[in-house]
Amino acid sequence: VQLQAFGGGLVQAGGSLRLSCVASGRRFSINNMGWYRQAAGNQRELVAAISKNGVTTNYAASIKGRFTISRANANTMFLQMNSLSTEDTAVYYCAADSRPRSPDQVVITPALYDYWGQGTLVTVSS
């Protein structure tokens, strides 16, 4: 499975961006998907995760209420980011896991993800 993230860029504080993640290859094996981010000098952190059926989601406290994760289908995921602040500046990575699990189970531990995209840079200017 290969993951490719799109949609990063430069935006002013208060603005919005929509990230997309598309999986190719053995897409039928994808279960849970998630977005992580890594700012310069910081560790990679969970932004949001979504279950295979799209029903269950999990958000980091720092972005709750501003970001929305969704899935169009088994191999396409989005992250709608509103009210962006300079603290949201980071490289955003999409991830997917392929372990058998309940379709409404959400994974938040990065070690449990099998596949990672290359990252897309989001820069928020003040």
Side-chain angles (χ1 to χ4, degrees):
V1 174
Q2 295 80 43
L3 302 177
Q4 191 163 11
F6 303 91
L10 175 63
V11 63
Q12 287 190 328
S16 298
L17 280 176
R18 189 191 198 205
L19 304 184
S20 302
C21 176
V22 180
S24 59
R26 296 184 61 187
R27 294 171 294 175
F28 63 87
S29 66
I30 292 174
N31 198 319
N32 193 96
M33 298 185 78
W35 289 99
Y36 283 76
R37 68 184 181 185
Q38 187 167 17
N42 290 353
Q43 291 186 334
R44 190 173 297 190
E45 61 176 4
L46 173 73
V47 177
I50 188 166
S51 61
K52 182 175 183 177
N53 62 9
V55 171
T56 307
T57 58
N58 185 288
Y59 293 95
S62 61
I63 58 87
K64 194 172 292 186
R66 299 188 295 121
F67 293 9
T68 303
I69 189 171
S70 61
R71 292 179 78 158
N73 48 48
N75 63 303
T76 305
M77 172 179 65
F78 304 105
L79 184 68
Q80 178 66 42
M81 305 186 294
N82 299 328
S83 301
L84 285 161
S85 73
T86 56
E87 295 181 350
D88 297 316
T89 294
V91 177
Y92 284 71
Y93 299 90
C94 62
D97 94 295
S98 61
R99 292 173 177 81
R101 62 180 82 254
S102 171
D104 61 354
Q105 180 181 359
V106 65
V107 173
I108 62 173
T109 304
L112 295 180
Y113 283 94
D114 303 298
Y115 309 106
W116 292 84
Q118 83 289 358
T120 184
L121 176 62
V122 172
T123 303
V124 184
S125 63
S126 59

